[in-house]
Amino acid sequence: MKSDIKLFENGKRLDGRKPDELRNIKIETGVLHRAEGSCYLEWGGNKVIVAVYGPREAIPRHTQNPLRAIVNARYNMAAFSVDDRKRPGPDRRSREISKVISEALGHAIFLERFPRASIDVNIEVLEAEAGTRCAGLTAAGVALVDAGIPMRDIPVACAAGKIEGQVVLDLGKEEDNFGSADLPIAISPRTGEILLLQMDGHMTGDEFNTALDMAIKGCHTVSEIQKKAITEKYQKTEGD
Ligand code: CDP
């Protein structure tokens, strides 16, 4: 989509960020007492809450896998999370995001330890401002740790993209609306494995490689913020 807005001028973006700068991120864990694990995350203007339940017996029974647990991530955007009220309930977009997040998380969890079980990850987007799948997946990683689910690593996500011929990290709302490409990824930071990679728009091969490197670096930065939130929570609990 074309716009009259200048997304990139004098080396700076609309919100004053440098090309490789993330929006502000704040993570808090253990925020819901009825859930087994939870996380509240703010990423720029995104506000996301995640509640994890399980491992528990998968219901209905025909969904059970006798060899491993299944991961049911359910991504939902609240009706009031966007400027135009969003019609409540699942739609194609939320089903797609739920599926890719379930698969990404499933790669990190030791699923074979919990045959016939399901691990339910409820991701509620309270406010959306582009990049909600990355925000939701990152919060889910922290909530899974809080729930004590054994994992190989804490999955983390971040996007890079292209605006006005410039590759940039972590697109904001106008950049997402009027930019030319968005590349959200999720990784396992310890092994460097890519757990999710999606792209819309168009980039050259070189721009794609630059964007991928930038998104991977972004993931590592976000991973440090995840770990800090977890450490802070458990240090506080120990001190209580
Ligand atoms: O949120 P994410 O970037 O992962 O997914 P997207 O499908 O690229 O959506 C980009 C943004 O569009 C969202 O974060 C919302 O801010 C906005 N959006 C909206 O305003 N109304 C919708 N029904 C869906 C998305």
Side-chain angles (χ1 to χ4, degrees), residues 131-145:
T132 56
R133 76 195 64 206
C134 291
L137 195 150
T138 298
V142 174
L144 285 164
V145 174

Side-chain angles (χ1 to χ4, degrees), residues 69-75 94-109 111 119-121 123 137 140 144 195-196:
I70 52 168
V71 179
N72 270 326
R74 188 180 142 278
Y75 165 102
S94 66
R95 284 198 188 94
E96 172 218 311
I97 297 178
S98 300
K99 179 174 188 288
V100 294
I101 292 183
S102 297
E103 284 169 9
L105 299 177
H107 281 289
I109 301 170
L111 297 175
I119 296 167
D120 301 321
V121 182
I123 301 168
L137 195 150
L144 285 164
L195 306 179
L196 176 149

Side-chain angles (χ1 to χ4, degrees), residues 49-53 56 72-76 120-124:
I49 197 150
V50 175
V52 168
Y53 298 86
R56 58 188 178 184
N72 270 326
R74 188 180 142 278
Y75 165 102
N76 182 54
D120 301 321
V121 182
N122 297 281
I123 301 168
E124 295 290 330

Side-chain angles (χ1 to χ4, degrees), residues 195-211:
L195 306 179
L196 176 149
L197 189 152
Q198 297 185 294
M199 184 175 131
D200 58 34
H202 42 87
M203 289 194 244
T204 65
D206 283 347
E207 285 167 347
F208 175 84
N209 289 333
T210 308

Side-chain angles (χ1 to χ4, degrees), residues 4-19 163-164 166 175:
D4 298 331
I5 306 175
K6 271 284 336 98
L7 295 175
F8 196 74
E9 216 167 14
N10 304 324
K12 287 274 170 71
R13 298 155 71 176
L14 259 189
D15 57 6
R17 279 188 289 154
K18 293 190 282 260
I163 52 165
E164 292 173 10
Q166 174 77 35
E175 294 175 335

Side-chain angles (χ1 to χ4, degrees), residues 46 75 77 81-84 86 91 93 97 128-134 173 176-177 182 184 200:
N46 294 309
Y75 165 102
M77 253 175 50
S81 65
V82 284
D83 290 337
D84 300 323
K86 187 208 161 270
D91 52 23
R93 176 177 171 275
I97 297 178
E129 205 193 68
T132 56
R133 76 195 64 206
C134 291
K173 179 125 176 48
D176 184 274
N177 286 355
D182 189 17
D200 58 34

